[in-house]
Amino acid sequence: MASSVNINTTHAYQQCVSPDCAATYDVGEVRTSCDACGSLLDVTYQWDQLPVPDSLKWFEQKWARRNEPLCRSGVWRFHELLPFAKPEQIVTIGEGQTPLIETDGVGKYIGMDPGRLYLEYEGMNPSGSFKDNGMTAAFTHARTIGATKAACASTGNTSASLALYCCSSKLMQAVIFIGSGKISYGKLSQALDYGALTVQISGDFDDAMHRVRQVSEKLGIYLVNSVNPFRLEGQKTIMLRVLESLNWEVPDWIVVPGGNLGNSSAFGKAFHELHTLGLIDRIPRLAVINAQGANTLHELYQGRGLRWNEGSPDQSIIDKYYAELDAAQGKADTIASAIEINRPVNLIKCLRALDCCDGVVREVTDQQILDAKSQVGANGMGCEPASAASVAGAKLLREQGVIAPSDRVVCILTGHQLKDPTATVAYHTADQDEFERVLGSRGVSRAQFANRAVKVENNLDEIIQAIQLNS
């Protein structure tokens, strides 16, 4: 195959995810659901009409063209596998330059054999989280249809990413919806600094999501939350980079935090497409990890038996659970604010991914999340609490014997440590009042791996003695 291809966007379209409906729509339309049945949409391709590479190794020739923006991007380097936009329409800020790091230190904590545990560090994206992978794709689509404003509801990372793309490109205004007190300063500071119009409403993320969808429809604003099918096209490339880093070998497990379930949905779609195209010979297993305080997927999947069921999941199970949440006025509550979501918009797509990838679902406590987070940090890769849910979940699955010590496991670290420094400092602090205020109220009772500051008087001898005692 030639070193470059002509992307023909006439072979891309949007399609309802329900097999019983399968309605299709033009790729140039702005949609978040199917008119015919209300289901979510996929971006789908007529692969037999497109010049698909014969092997994933074909993409390696782009490494020599790093001076070209699309080859430098860790998303658009794989343009041939998400060919919905022409090259001249693409908006990129160099996203996706993220490392896959083998770490025996974290592997030992989980219980893995040496050389079997990898962390995909998505916190190294320009805005500090995995969201940039999807935002470049959604923002590109927004540009193709002439949008002037783009909106999202956010616990912080989506808003930071959207605001960054808007201010970097100068193509649109960012409008972000956040809930009261439900966003860390590390993330809010980004949205404010990048010039986004920030609307803070009374309520949580689910309330903000409900309102932003209403407002976007009424005012004709382009919605970039992961209900947008183009967001998930960009997030597929996280898995392509994982395969690339493993010399195109498929790992045994992908472990990912579960919030709005966009990543797990995108990963399932990626592997299904790659397998269908003959670019991989097997599909890895998928583990989606909820925080215990925001465990809708775990409750529905593990507790109530909800399944993809060949595209006909039992909607009554979902409706009954949400009615129970409403009656109890249940709100998500976890230190892992990025996955503090009760009504994940990609629930149905995630069920499909779990079916495709022979997946499992688990929940972990805030205590388990923070202990795992400390071990990620102690091995040189600071992450926000939500990221550490993947490591905590892998440890749980290892203890349960679901993951074998010899399996090759990739945990996704979704966001940078500095996204939520308050939780990190509180875990390591010697100030018991601060620990209780931030963490104790959430059921965290100990900091087993705390690295506390040593307090000494401003005296040379005492400082030297303290260093010697603690070395």
Side-chain angles (χ1 to χ4, degrees), residues 84-239:
F84 65 83
K86 296 180 179 179
E88 62 270 19
Q89 298 169 323
I90 290 171
V91 181
T92 174
I93 58 173
E95 60 288 315
Q97 301 304 315
T98 57
L100 181 72
I101 302 170
E102 180 184 329
T103 168
D104 287 343
V106 180
K108 182 178 180 181
Y109 172 72
I110 291 173
M112 303 300 301
D113 290 343
R116 307 309 288 175
L117 192 279
Y118 297 80
L119 300 180
E120 173 64 19
Y121 195 7
E122 289 300 307
M124 296 300 286
N125 271 292
S127 78
S129 87
F130 77 92
K131 300 288 185 176
D132 295 348
N133 297 283
M135 197 58 65
T136 182
F139 203 85
T140 291
H141 183 249
R143 180 187 188 183
T144 66
I145 58 93
T148 58
K149 288 184 172 66
C152 69
S154 181
T155 60
N157 285 331
T158 304
S159 62
S161 184
L162 172 61
L164 179 55
Y165 277 83
C166 284
C167 77
S168 295
S169 67
K170 309 300 182 188
L171 291 172
M172 297 168 219
Q173 179 188 27
V175 183
I176 65 174
F177 285 63
I178 61 173
S180 303
K182 294 293 184 178
I183 185 170
S184 76
Y185 277 4
K187 302 170 188 178
L188 180 59
S189 65
Q190 291 179 280
L192 297 176
D193 228 22
Y194 298 150
L197 172 59
T198 304
V199 181
Q200 186 168 16
I201 69 168
S202 300
D204 60 9
F205 171 83
D206 297 310
D207 298 314
M209 187 71 232
H210 176 66
R211 291 304 183 194
V212 76
R213 293 180 78 166
Q214 291 180 318
V215 169
S216 295
E217 184 174 347
K218 279 188 172 293
L219 298 182
I221 300 174
Y222 189 91
L223 183 64
V224 301
N225 279 99
S226 60
V227 70
N228 180 321
F230 295 92
R231 268 277 306 276
L232 302 194
E233 286 304 284
Q235 286 166 223
K236 288 191 317 189
T237 63
I238 298 173
M239 291 299 98

Side-chain angles (χ1 to χ4, degrees), residues 101-429:
I101 302 170
E102 180 184 329
T103 168
D104 287 343
V106 180
K108 182 178 180 181
Y109 172 72
I110 291 173
M112 303 300 301
D113 290 343
R116 307 309 288 175
L117 192 279
Y118 297 80
L119 300 180
E120 173 64 19
Y121 195 7
E122 289 300 307
M124 296 300 286
N125 271 292
S127 78
S129 87
F130 77 92
K131 300 288 185 176
D132 295 348
N133 297 283
M135 197 58 65
T136 182
F139 203 85
T140 291
H141 183 249
R143 180 187 188 183
T144 66
I145 58 93
T148 58
K149 288 184 172 66
C152 69
S154 181
T155 60
N157 285 331
T158 304
S159 62
S161 184
L162 172 61
L164 179 55
Y165 277 83
C166 284
C167 77
S168 295
S169 67
K170 309 300 182 188
L171 291 172
M172 297 168 219
Q173 179 188 27
V175 183
I176 65 174
F177 285 63
I178 61 173
S180 303
K182 294 293 184 178
I183 185 170
S184 76
Y185 277 4
K187 302 170 188 178
L188 180 59
S189 65
Q190 291 179 280
L192 297 176
D193 228 22
Y194 298 150
L197 172 59
T198 304
V199 181
Q200 186 168 16
I201 69 168
S202 300
D204 60 9
F205 171 83
D206 297 310
D207 298 314
M209 187 71 232
H210 176 66
R211 291 304 183 194
V212 76
R213 293 180 78 166
Q214 291 180 318
V215 169
S216 295
E217 184 174 347
K218 279 188 172 293
L219 298 182
I221 300 174
Y222 189 91
L223 183 64
V224 301
N225 279 99
S226 60
V227 70
N228 180 321
F230 295 92
R231 268 277 306 276
L232 302 194
E233 286 304 284
Q235 286 166 223
K236 288 191 317 189
T237 63
I238 298 173
M239 291 299 98
L240 292 170
R241 295 198 301 274
V242 166
L243 294 175
E244 183 180 53
S245 297
L246 294 174
N247 197 29
W248 310 111
E249 295 177 3
V250 178
D252 297 301
W253 285 92
I254 301 293
V255 188
V256 61
N260 230 359
L261 305 180
N263 265 342
S264 50
S265 301
F267 298 172
K269 186 175 189 288
F271 287 122
H272 174 74
E273 288 177 346
L274 292 174
H275 193 255
T276 299
L277 292 169
L279 294 173
I280 56 175
D281 59 3
R282 66 184 181 90
I283 294 175
R285 298 194 68 186
L286 178 69
V288 185
I289 312 300
N290 277 164
Q292 192 176 74
N295 64 347
T296 290
L297 178 65
H298 183 264
E299 174 63 24
L300 292 175
Y301 194 84
Q302 290 293 109
R304 308 193 183 201
L306 183 66
R307 293 293 187 273
W308 170 242
N309 193 29
E310 298 182 345
S312 300
D314 189 341
Q315 186 64 39
S316 68
I317 295 176
I318 304 171
D319 293 342
K320 181 180 179 183
Y321 178 66
Y322 285 166
E324 291 171 8
L325 280 181
D326 290 338
Q329 296 184 325
K331 300 291 183 182
D333 184 23
T334 171
I335 194 67
S337 60
I339 54 174
E340 192 177 52
I341 297 166
N342 260 347
R343 288 172 168 77
V345 298
N346 285 295
L347 173 62
I348 301 302
K349 285 185 177 180
C350 180
L351 294 175
R352 182 180 63 180
L354 289 165
D355 183 75
C356 171
C357 299
D358 189 19
V360 299
V361 181
R362 294 293 186 271
E363 63 176 357
V364 289
T365 66
D366 282 3
Q367 180 74 65
Q368 292 170 309
I369 287 171
L370 289 175
D371 286 343
K373 176 182 168 346
S374 75
Q375 294 304 292
V376 172
N379 285 276
M381 293 154 284
C383 66
E384 67 171 318
S387 296
S390 63
V391 176
K395 187 175 190 297
L396 177 62
L397 288 165
R398 176 68 202 94
E399 291 168 351
Q400 294 174 344
V402 179
I403 290 177
S406 59
D407 285 345
R408 181 183 271 183
V409 177
V410 176
C411 293
I412 311 301
L413 301 184
T414 48
H416 196 279
Q417 176 187 28
L418 297 181
K419 286 286 189 172
D420 193 356
T422 302
T424 303
V425 173
Y427 184 86
H428 293 289
T429 187

Side-chain angles (χ1 to χ4, degrees), residues 36-53:
C37 71
S39 297
L40 296 172
L41 299 173
D42 278 330
V43 182
T44 306
Y45 307 98
Q46 294 173 311
W47 293 114
D48 59 341
Q49 301 297 312
L50 289 163
V52 179

